[in-house]
Each structure stands twice: as structure tokens, then as C-alpha cells.
Amino acid sequence: MACETERNPLGVFKCQLCALTAPYSYKGQQPPDSQSVVLLEESYVLRDPFTPDKGRFLVVGSRCSVCSRLVCVGPECSLFYSKRFCLPCVQDNMDAFPQEIQQDLEKRKVPSTRPASQRSSRP
């Protein structure tokens, strides 16, 4: 029998940068059925749908530690460096990050803050 959080997600996570949506079954730092795992940030988590192992989970996203925006863990939306940062906040505070992080970020493209459904298709 499936547990209550598997049948009824707590809610739907929505990234405020790319508009990714996913149902989440847990919000916090210690996902259920994973005895020894403690996440470094309060995260939105869902049970891994690709395995029957109840101890497996996927982290969908978290809040930016600067602006509190909900962002997914995708590399085009956020960065984890001791805390979660959305890429617009990273760009605004680039000098606060080590040179290696700055070089890595130069390779990334900062997404629009508008959801994909509202972006113009014109160049």
C-alpha cells in the first residue's frame, strides 16, 4: 500500500524562472524513507518515479537564499554554492563568488525571468 504522500502530493512546485512544474511530496531537509540523508537546504522533493525503491527521491528545487524566488535545480536557473542562488542573483553578485564559479557561470546563459509561455518568439 502506498503511503499518503505518494498518493496525495503536498502541492505543485513551479520554478519562477523557467516555469517547470512538478508535484512534490515533501518539503524540508530530511526526506521520508531516507534514514541517513540530510539535505543542505530546505528542498522540494518527490519520490523517484523511475524506481520502486521508496528511499530514492529527486530534489526538484528550493528558494533562492537572496531573493526567496522558487527555482528549480536546473543549471539554467540556479546554482548551489553553500546555499541556493538563482542565476539573476548570481549575476547581480558575481564578485562575491570564487573565480572558478565565475568562469563556470560565463558558460551559462541567464534565462528570462518571465515564464516560457510569456516569452516572445521574436529575436
Coordinates of all heavy atoms in Angstrom, one line a residue, residues 1-88:
M1 N 0.8 -1.2 0.0 CA 0.0 0.0 0.0 C 0.9 1.2 0.0 O 1.8 1.3 0.8 CB -0.9 0.0 1.2 CG -1.8 1.2 1.3 SD -2.9 1.1 2.8 CE -4.3 0.4 2.0
A2 N 0.6 2.2 -0.9 CA 1.4 3.4 -1.0 C 1.1 4.3 0.2 O 0.0 4.4 0.7 CB 1.0 4.2 -2.3
C3 N 2.1 5.0 0.6 CA 2.0 6.0 1.7 C 1.2 7.2 1.3 O 1.0 7.5 0.1 CB 3.3 6.4 2.3 SG 4.2 7.6 1.4
E4 N 0.7 7.9 2.2 CA -0.2 9.1 1.9 C 0.5 10.1 1.0 O -0.2 10.6 0.1 CB -0.6 9.7 3.3 CG -1.7 10.8 3.1 CD -3.1 10.2 2.7 OE1 -3.3 9.0 2.9 OE2 -3.9 10.9 2.1
T5 N 1.8 10.4 1.3 CA 2.4 11.4 0.5 C 2.6 11.0 -1.0 O 2.7 11.8 -1.9 CB 3.8 11.8 1.1 OG1 4.6 10.7 1.2 CG2 3.6 12.5 2.4
E6 N 2.7 9.7 -1.2 CA 2.8 9.2 -2.6 C 1.5 9.4 -3.4 O 1.5 9.7 -4.5 CB 3.3 7.8 -2.6 CG 4.7 7.6 -2.2 CD 5.1 6.1 -2.2 OE1 4.6 5.3 -3.0 OE2 5.9 5.7 -1.3
R7 N 0.4 9.1 -2.7 CA -0.9 9.2 -3.3 C -1.4 10.7 -3.5 O -2.0 11.0 -4.5 CB -2.0 8.5 -2.5 CG -1.9 7.0 -2.6 CD -3.1 6.3 -2.0 NE -3.3 6.8 -0.7 CZ -3.2 6.0 0.4 NH1 -2.8 4.8 0.3 NH2 -3.5 6.6 1.6
N8 N -1.1 11.5 -2.5 CA -1.5 12.9 -2.5 C -0.3 13.8 -2.3 O 0.1 14.0 -1.2 CB -2.5 13.1 -1.4 CG -3.8 12.2 -1.5 OD1 -4.3 12.1 -2.6 ND2 -4.2 11.7 -0.4
P9 N 0.2 14.3 -3.4 CA 1.3 15.3 -3.3 C 0.9 16.5 -2.4 O -0.2 16.8 -2.3 CB 1.6 15.7 -4.7 CG 0.9 14.8 -5.6 CD -0.2 14.1 -4.8
L10 N 1.9 17.0 -1.7 CA 1.7 18.2 -0.9 C 1.3 19.4 -1.8 O 0.5 20.3 -1.3 CB 2.9 18.6 -0.1 CG 3.3 17.7 1.1 CD1 4.6 18.2 1.7 CD2 2.2 17.6 2.1
G11 N 1.8 19.5 -3.0 CA 1.5 20.6 -3.8 C 2.2 20.4 -5.1 O 2.8 19.4 -5.4
V12 N 2.3 21.5 -5.9 CA 3.0 21.5 -7.2 C 4.0 22.6 -7.1 O 3.8 23.8 -6.9 CB 2.0 21.8 -8.4 CG1 2.8 21.9 -9.7 CG2 1.0 20.7 -8.4
F13 N 5.3 22.2 -7.3 CA 6.4 23.1 -7.4 C 6.4 23.8 -8.7 O 6.2 23.1 -9.8 CB 7.7 22.3 -7.2 CG 9.0 23.2 -7.3 CD1 9.5 23.9 -6.3 CD2 9.6 23.3 -8.6 CE1 10.6 24.7 -6.4 CE2 10.7 24.1 -8.7 CZ 11.2 24.8 -7.7
K14 N 6.7 25.1 -8.8 CA 6.8 25.8 -10.0 C 8.0 26.7 -10.0 O 8.0 27.6 -9.2 CB 5.5 26.6 -10.4 CG 5.6 27.3 -11.7 CD 4.3 28.0 -12.1 CE 4.4 28.6 -13.5 NZ 3.2 29.3 -13.9
C15 N 8.9 26.5 -10.9 CA 10.1 27.3 -11.0 C 9.7 28.7 -11.5 O 9.0 28.8 -12.5 CB 11.1 26.7 -11.9 SG 12.6 27.7 -12.1
Q16 N 10.1 29.8 -10.8 CA 9.8 31.1 -11.2 C 10.6 31.7 -12.3 O 10.4 32.8 -12.7 CB 9.8 32.0 -10.0 CG 8.7 31.7 -9.0 CD 8.7 32.5 -7.7 OE1 9.7 32.7 -7.1 NE2 7.5 33.2 -7.5
L17 N 11.6 30.9 -12.8 CA 12.4 31.3 -13.9 C 12.0 30.6 -15.2 O 11.8 31.2 -16.2 CB 13.9 31.1 -13.6 CG 14.5 32.0 -12.5 CD1 15.9 31.7 -12.3 CD2 14.2 33.5 -12.9
C18 N 11.9 29.3 -15.2 CA 11.7 28.5 -16.4 C 10.3 27.9 -16.5 O 9.9 27.3 -17.5 CB 12.7 27.4 -16.6 SG 12.5 26.0 -15.4
A19 N 9.5 28.1 -15.4 CA 8.1 27.6 -15.3 C 8.0 26.1 -15.3 O 6.9 25.6 -15.5 CB 7.3 28.2 -16.5
L20 N 9.0 25.4 -15.0 CA 9.0 23.9 -14.7 C 8.0 23.7 -13.6 O 8.0 24.4 -12.6 CB 10.3 23.4 -14.3 CG 10.3 22.0 -13.8 CD1 10.5 21.0 -14.9 CD2 11.4 21.8 -12.7
T21 N 7.1 22.7 -13.8 CA 6.2 22.3 -12.7 C 6.3 20.9 -12.4 O 6.6 20.1 -13.4 CB 4.7 22.6 -13.1 OG1 4.4 21.9 -14.2 CG2 4.5 24.1 -13.3
A22 N 6.2 20.5 -11.2 CA 6.3 19.1 -10.8 C 5.6 19.0 -9.4 O 5.8 19.8 -8.5 CB 7.8 18.7 -10.6
P23 N 4.9 17.9 -9.2 CA 4.3 17.7 -7.9 C 5.4 17.3 -6.9 O 6.3 16.6 -7.3 CB 3.3 16.5 -8.1 CG 3.9 15.8 -9.3 CD 4.5 16.8 -10.2
Y24 N 5.3 17.8 -5.7 CA 6.2 17.4 -4.7 C 5.5 16.7 -3.5 O 4.4 17.0 -3.2 CB 7.1 18.6 -4.2 CG 6.3 19.7 -3.5 CD1 6.2 19.6 -2.1 CD2 5.7 20.7 -4.1 CE1 5.5 20.6 -1.4 CE2 5.0 21.7 -3.4 CZ 4.9 21.6 -2.1 OH 4.2 22.6 -1.4
S25 N 6.2 15.8 -2.9 CA 5.6 15.0 -1.9 C 6.2 15.3 -0.5 O 5.7 14.9 0.5 CB 5.8 13.5 -2.1 OG 7.1 13.2 -2.3
Y26 N 7.3 16.2 -0.5 CA 7.9 16.5 0.8 C 8.6 17.9 0.6 O 9.2 18.1 -0.5 CB 8.9 15.5 1.2 CG 9.7 15.8 2.4 CD1 9.1 15.7 3.7 CD2 11.0 16.3 2.4 CE1 9.8 16.1 4.8 CE2 11.7 16.6 3.5 CZ 11.1 16.5 4.7 OH 11.8 16.9 5.9
K27 N 8.6 18.7 1.6 CA 9.4 19.9 1.6 C 10.2 20.0 3.0 O 9.6 19.9 4.0 CB 8.4 21.1 1.6 CG 9.1 22.5 1.7 CD 8.1 23.6 1.7 CE 8.8 24.9 2.1 NZ 7.8 25.9 2.4
G28 N 11.5 20.0 2.9 CA 12.3 20.0 4.0 C 13.7 19.6 3.8 O 14.2 19.6 2.6
Q29 N 14.4 19.1 4.8 CA 15.8 18.7 4.7 C 16.1 17.2 4.9 O 17.1 16.8 4.6 CB 16.7 19.5 5.7 CG 16.8 21.0 5.3 CD 17.7 21.7 6.3 OE1 17.3 22.2 7.3 NE2 19.0 21.8 5.9
Q30 N 15.1 16.5 5.4 CA 15.3 15.1 5.6 C 14.1 14.3 5.0 O 13.1 14.1 5.7 CB 15.4 14.8 7.1 CG 15.9 13.4 7.3 CD 16.4 13.2 8.8 OE1 16.1 14.0 9.6 NE2 17.0 12.1 9.0
P31 N 14.2 13.9 3.7 CA 13.1 13.2 3.0 C 12.7 12.0 3.8 O 13.6 11.3 4.4 CB 13.7 12.9 1.7 CG 14.8 13.9 1.5 CD 15.4 14.1 2.9
P32 N 11.4 11.6 3.7 CA 11.0 10.4 4.4 C 11.6 9.2 3.7 O 11.9 9.2 2.5 CB 9.4 10.4 4.2 CG 9.2 11.5 3.1 CD 10.4 12.4 3.1
D33 N 11.7 8.1 4.5 CA 12.2 6.8 4.0 C 13.7 6.9 3.6 O 14.2 6.0 2.9 CB 11.4 6.3 2.8 CG 10.0 6.0 3.2 OD1 9.7 5.5 4.3 OD2 9.1 6.3 2.4
S34 N 14.4 7.9 3.9 CA 15.8 8.0 3.7 C 16.5 8.4 5.0 O 16.8 9.5 5.3 CB 16.1 9.1 2.6 OG 15.6 10.3 3.0
Q35 N 16.8 7.3 5.8 CA 17.3 7.5 7.1 C 18.5 8.3 7.3 O 18.6 9.1 8.2 CB 17.5 6.1 7.8 CG 16.3 5.2 8.0 CD 15.8 4.5 6.7 OE1 16.5 4.5 5.7 NE2 14.6 4.0 6.7
S36 N 19.5 8.2 6.4 CA 20.8 8.8 6.6 C 21.0 10.1 5.8 O 22.1 10.7 5.8 CB 21.9 7.8 6.4 OG 21.9 7.4 5.0
V37 N 20.0 10.5 5.0 CA 20.2 11.7 4.2 C 19.6 12.9 4.8 O 18.5 13.0 5.3 CB 19.4 11.5 2.8 CG1 19.5 12.7 1.9 CG2 20.0 10.3 2.1
V38 N 20.5 14.0 4.9 CA 20.1 15.3 5.3 C 20.5 16.3 4.3 O 21.7 16.4 4.0 CB 20.7 15.6 6.7 CG1 20.2 17.0 7.1 CG2 20.2 14.6 7.8
L39 N 19.6 16.9 3.7 CA 19.9 17.9 2.6 C 20.4 19.2 3.2 O 20.1 19.5 4.3 CB 18.6 18.2 1.8 CG 18.0 17.0 1.1 CD1 16.7 17.3 0.5 CD2 18.9 16.4 0.1
L40 N 21.2 19.9 2.5 CA 21.9 21.1 3.0 C 21.0 22.3 2.9 O 21.3 23.4 3.3 CB 23.2 21.4 2.2 CG 24.3 20.3 2.4 CD1 25.5 20.6 1.6 CD2 24.7 20.2 3.9
E41 N 19.8 22.2 2.3 CA 18.8 23.3 2.1 C 17.4 22.7 2.2 O 17.2 21.5 2.0 CB 19.0 24.0 0.8 CG 18.8 23.1 -0.4 CD 19.1 23.7 -1.7 OE1 19.0 25.0 -1.8 OE2 19.3 23.0 -2.7
E42 N 16.5 23.6 2.6 CA 15.1 23.1 2.6 C 14.7 23.0 1.1 O 14.7 24.0 0.4 CB 14.2 24.1 3.3 CG 12.8 23.7 3.4 CD 11.9 24.5 4.3 OE1 11.9 24.3 5.5 OE2 11.3 25.5 3.8
S43 N 14.3 21.8 0.7 CA 14.1 21.5 -0.7 C 12.7 20.9 -0.9 O 12.1 20.4 0.0 CB 15.1 20.4 -1.2 OG 16.4 20.9 -1.0
Y44 N 12.3 21.1 -2.2 CA 11.0 20.4 -2.6 C 11.4 19.1 -3.2 O 12.3 19.1 -4.2 CB 10.3 21.3 -3.6 CG 9.8 22.6 -3.0 CD1 10.6 23.7 -2.7 CD2 8.4 22.7 -2.6 CE1 10.1 24.8 -2.1 CE2 7.9 23.8 -2.0 CZ 8.8 24.9 -1.7 OH 8.3 26.0 -1.1
V45 N 10.9 18.0 -2.7 CA 11.3 16.7 -3.1 C 10.2 15.8 -3.6 O 9.0 16.0 -3.1 CB 12.0 16.0 -1.8 CG1 12.3 14.6 -2.1 CG2 13.2 16.8 -1.4
L46 N 10.4 15.0 -4.5 CA 9.4 14.0 -4.9 C 10.1 12.6 -4.9 O 11.3 12.5 -5.2 CB 8.8 14.3 -6.3 CG 9.6 14.2 -7.5 CD1 9.2 13.0 -8.3 CD2 9.4 15.5 -8.4
R47 N 9.3 11.6 -4.7 CA 9.8 10.2 -4.7 C 10.2 9.9 -6.2 O 9.5 10.3 -7.1 CB 8.7 9.2 -4.3 CG 9.3 7.9 -4.0 CD 8.2 6.9 -3.6 NE 7.3 6.5 -4.7 CZ 7.7 5.7 -5.7 NH1 8.9 5.2 -5.8 NH2 6.9 5.4 -6.7
D48 N 11.3 9.3 -6.4 CA 11.8 9.0 -7.7 C 10.8 8.1 -8.4 O 10.6 6.9 -8.0 CB 13.1 8.3 -7.6 CG 13.8 8.1 -9.0 OD1 13.1 8.1 -10.0 OD2 15.0 7.8 -9.0
P49 N 10.1 8.6 -9.5 CA 9.1 7.8 -10.2 C 9.7 6.6 -11.0 O 9.0 5.8 -11.6 CB 8.4 8.8 -11.0 CG 9.4 9.8 -11.3 CD 10.3 9.9 -10.1
F50 N 11.0 6.6 -11.2 CA 11.7 5.6 -12.0 C 12.1 4.4 -11.3 O 12.7 3.5 -11.9 CB 12.8 6.3 -12.8 CG 12.4 7.5 -13.5 CD1 12.8 8.8 -13.1 CD2 11.6 7.4 -14.7 CE1 12.4 9.9 -13.8 CE2 11.2 8.5 -15.4 CZ 11.6 9.8 -14.9
T51 N 11.9 4.3 -10.0 CA 12.3 3.1 -9.2 C 11.3 2.8 -8.2 O 10.6 3.7 -7.6 CB 13.7 3.4 -8.6 OG1 14.0 2.2 -7.8 CG2 13.6 4.6 -7.6
P52 N 11.1 1.5 -7.9 CA 10.2 1.2 -6.8 C 10.7 1.4 -5.4 O 10.0 1.3 -4.4 CB 9.9 -0.3 -7.1 CG 11.1 -0.8 -7.8 CD 11.6 0.4 -8.6
D53 N 12.0 1.7 -5.3 CA 12.7 1.9 -4.0 C 12.2 3.2 -3.4 O 12.4 4.3 -3.9 CB 14.2 2.0 -4.2 CG 15.0 2.2 -3.0 OD1 14.4 2.3 -1.9 OD2 16.2 2.1 -3.0
K54 N 11.5 3.0 -2.2 CA 10.9 4.2 -1.5 C 11.9 5.2 -1.0 O 11.6 6.3 -0.7 CB 10.0 3.7 -0.4 CG 8.7 3.0 -0.9 CD 7.8 2.7 0.3 CE 6.6 2.0 -0.2 NZ 5.7 1.7 0.8
G55 N 13.1 4.7 -0.8 CA 14.2 5.6 -0.3 C 14.8 6.5 -1.3 O 15.6 7.4 -1.0
R56 N 14.5 6.3 -2.6 CA 15.0 7.1 -3.6 C 14.1 8.3 -3.9 O 12.9 8.2 -3.8 CB 15.1 6.4 -4.9 CG 16.0 5.2 -4.8 CD 17.2 5.4 -5.6 NE 18.1 4.2 -5.4 CZ 19.3 4.2 -5.9 NH1 19.7 5.3 -6.6 NH2 20.1 3.2 -5.8
F57 N 14.7 9.5 -4.1 CA 14.0 10.7 -4.3 C 14.7 11.6 -5.2 O 15.9 11.5 -5.5 CB 13.7 11.4 -2.9 CG 15.0 11.8 -2.2 CD1 15.5 13.1 -2.5 CD2 15.6 11.0 -1.3 CE1 16.7 13.4 -1.8 CE2 16.8 11.3 -0.7 CZ 17.3 12.5 -0.9
L58 N 14.0 12.6 -5.7 CA 14.5 13.6 -6.6 C 14.3 15.0 -6.0 O 13.2 15.3 -5.5 CB 13.8 13.6 -8.0 CG 13.9 12.3 -8.8 CD1 13.1 12.4 -10.0 CD2 15.4 12.0 -9.1
V59 N 15.3 15.8 -6.0 CA 15.2 17.2 -5.5 C 14.7 18.0 -6.7 O 15.4 18.1 -7.7 CB 16.5 17.7 -4.9 CG1 16.3 19.2 -4.5 CG2 16.9 16.9 -3.7
V60 N 13.6 18.7 -6.6 CA 13.1 19.5 -7.7 C 13.6 20.9 -7.6 O 14.0 21.5 -8.7 CB 11.5 19.5 -7.7 CG1 11.0 20.3 -8.8 CG2 11.0 18.1 -7.7
G61 N 13.6 21.5 -6.5 CA 14.1 22.9 -6.3 C 14.1 23.4 -4.9 O 13.9 22.6 -4.0
S62 N 14.3 24.7 -4.8 CA 14.4 25.3 -3.5 C 14.2 26.8 -3.7 O 14.0 27.3 -4.8 CB 15.8 25.0 -2.9 OG 15.9 25.5 -1.6
R63 N 14.3 27.5 -2.6 CA 14.2 29.0 -2.7 C 15.6 29.6 -2.8 O 16.5 29.1 -2.2 CB 13.5 29.6 -1.4 CG 12.1 29.2 -1.4 CD 11.3 30.2 -0.5 NE 9.9 29.9 -0.6 CZ 9.1 30.5 -1.5 NH1 9.5 31.4 -2.4 NH2 7.8 30.2 -1.5
C64 N 15.7 30.7 -3.6 CA 17.0 31.4 -3.7 C 17.2 32.0 -2.3 O 16.3 32.6 -1.7 CB 16.8 32.5 -4.7 SG 18.3 33.7 -4.8
S65 N 18.5 31.9 -1.8 CA 18.8 32.4 -0.5 C 18.9 34.0 -0.5 O 19.0 34.5 0.6 CB 20.1 31.8 0.0 OG 21.2 32.1 -0.9
V66 N 18.9 34.6 -1.6 CA 19.0 36.1 -1.7 C 17.6 36.7 -1.8 O 17.2 37.5 -1.0 CB 19.9 36.5 -2.8 CG1 19.9 38.1 -2.9 CG2 21.3 36.0 -2.6
C67 N 16.8 36.3 -2.8 CA 15.5 36.9 -3.2 C 14.3 36.1 -2.8 O 13.2 36.5 -3.0 CB 15.5 37.3 -4.6 SG 15.4 35.9 -5.8
S68 N 14.5 34.8 -2.4 CA 13.5 33.9 -2.0 C 12.6 33.4 -3.1 O 11.6 32.8 -2.9 CB 12.6 34.5 -0.9 OG 13.3 34.7 0.2
R69 N 13.1 33.6 -4.4 CA 12.4 33.1 -5.5 C 12.4 31.6 -5.6 O 13.5 31.0 -5.2 CB 13.1 33.7 -6.8 CG 12.3 33.6 -8.0 CD 13.1 34.2 -9.2 NE 13.5 35.6 -8.9 CZ 14.1 36.4 -9.7 NH1 14.5 36.0 -10.9 NH2 14.4 37.6 -9.3
L70 N 11.3 30.9 -5.9 CA 11.4 29.4 -6.1 C 12.1 29.1 -7.4 O 11.7 29.6 -8.5 CB 9.9 28.9 -6.2 CG 9.3 28.6 -4.8 CD1 7.8 28.1 -5.1 CD2 10.0 27.6 -4.0
V71 N 13.1 28.3 -7.3 CA 13.9 28.0 -8.5 C 14.2 26.5 -8.6 O 14.4 25.9 -7.5 CB 15.2 28.8 -8.7 CG1 15.0 30.2 -9.0 CG2 16.0 28.7 -7.4
C72 N 14.1 25.9 -9.8 CA 14.5 24.5 -9.9 C 16.0 24.3 -9.8 O 16.7 25.3 -9.8 CB 13.9 24.0 -11.2 SG 14.8 24.6 -12.7
V73 N 16.4 23.1 -9.7 CA 17.9 22.8 -9.6 C 18.6 22.8 -11.0 O 19.8 22.5 -11.0 CB 18.1 21.5 -8.8 CG1 17.6 21.6 -7.4 CG2 17.5 20.3 -9.5
G74 N 17.8 23.1 -12.0 CA 18.4 23.1 -13.4 C 19.6 24.1 -13.5 O 19.5 25.2 -12.9
P75 N 20.6 23.8 -14.2 CA 21.8 24.7 -14.3 C 21.5 26.0 -15.0 O 22.2 27.0 -14.9 CB 22.8 23.9 -15.1 CG 22.0 22.9 -15.9 CD 20.8 22.6 -15.0
E76 N 20.4 26.1 -15.7 CA 20.0 27.3 -16.4 C 19.2 28.2 -15.4 O 18.9 29.4 -15.8 CB 19.2 27.1 -17.7 CG 17.9 26.4 -17.5 CD 18.1 24.8 -17.4 OE1 19.1 24.3 -17.6 OE2 17.1 24.2 -16.9
C77 N 18.8 27.7 -14.3 CA 18.0 28.5 -13.3 C 18.7 28.8 -12.0 O 18.4 29.8 -11.4 CB 16.7 27.8 -13.1 SG 15.6 27.7 -14.5
S78 N 19.5 27.9 -11.5 CA 20.1 28.1 -10.2 C 21.5 27.5 -10.0 O 21.9 26.7 -10.9 CB 19.2 27.6 -9.1 OG 19.1 26.2 -9.1
L79 N 22.1 27.8 -8.9 CA 23.4 27.3 -8.6 C 23.4 27.1 -7.1 O 22.9 27.9 -6.3 CB 24.5 28.4 -8.9 CG 25.8 28.3 -8.2 CD1 26.7 27.3 -8.9 CD2 26.5 29.7 -8.3
F80 N 24.0 25.9 -6.7 CA 24.2 25.7 -5.2 C 25.6 25.9 -4.9 O 26.5 25.2 -5.4 CB 23.7 24.3 -4.9 CG 23.8 24.0 -3.4 CD1 22.7 24.4 -2.6 CD2 24.9 23.5 -2.8 CE1 22.8 24.2 -1.2 CE2 25.0 23.3 -1.4 CZ 23.9 23.7 -0.6
Y81 N 25.9 26.8 -4.1 CA 27.3 27.1 -3.6 C 27.1 27.4 -2.1 O 26.9 28.6 -1.7 CB 28.0 28.2 -4.3 CG 29.4 28.5 -3.9 CD1 30.4 27.6 -4.1 CD2 29.6 29.6 -3.1 CE1 31.7 27.8 -3.6 CE2 30.9 29.9 -2.6 CZ 31.9 29.0 -2.9 OH 33.2 29.2 -2.4
S82 N 27.1 26.5 -1.2 CA 26.8 26.5 0.2 C 25.3 26.9 0.5 O 24.8 26.5 1.5 CB 27.8 27.4 0.9 OG 27.5 28.8 0.7
K83 N 24.7 27.6 -0.5 CA 23.3 27.9 -0.4 C 22.8 27.9 -1.9 O 23.6 28.0 -2.8 CB 23.0 29.3 0.2 CG 23.4 29.4 1.7 CD 23.2 30.8 2.1 CE 23.6 31.0 3.6 NZ 23.4 32.3 4.1
R84 N 21.5 27.9 -2.1 CA 20.9 28.0 -3.4 C 20.8 29.5 -3.8 O 20.4 30.3 -3.0 CB 19.5 27.4 -3.4 CG 18.7 27.5 -4.7 CD 19.1 26.5 -5.7 NE 19.3 25.2 -5.2 CZ 20.1 24.2 -5.8 NH1 20.7 24.5 -7.0 NH2 20.2 23.1 -5.3
F85 N 21.2 29.8 -5.1 CA 21.1 31.1 -5.6 C 20.5 31.0 -7.0 O 20.9 30.1 -7.8 CB 22.5 31.7 -5.8 CG 23.3 31.9 -4.5 CD1 24.2 30.9 -4.1 CD2 23.1 33.0 -3.7 CE1 24.8 31.1 -2.9 CE2 23.8 33.2 -2.5 CZ 24.7 32.2 -2.1
C86 N 19.5 31.9 -7.3 CA 19.0 31.9 -8.7 C 20.1 32.6 -9.5 O 20.9 33.4 -9.0 CB 17.7 32.6 -8.7 SG 17.7 34.4 -8.4
L87 N 20.1 32.3 -10.8 CA 21.1 32.9 -11.7 C 21.0 34.4 -11.8 O 22.1 35.1 -11.8 CB 21.2 32.3 -13.0 CG 21.7 30.8 -13.1 CD1 22.0 30.4 -14.5 CD2 23.0 30.7 -12.2
P88 N 19.8 35.0 -11.8 CA 19.8 36.5 -11.8 C 20.5 37.1 -10.5 O 21.3 38.1 -10.6 CB 18.3 36.9 -11.8 CG 17.7 35.7 -12.5 CD 18.5 34.5 -12.0

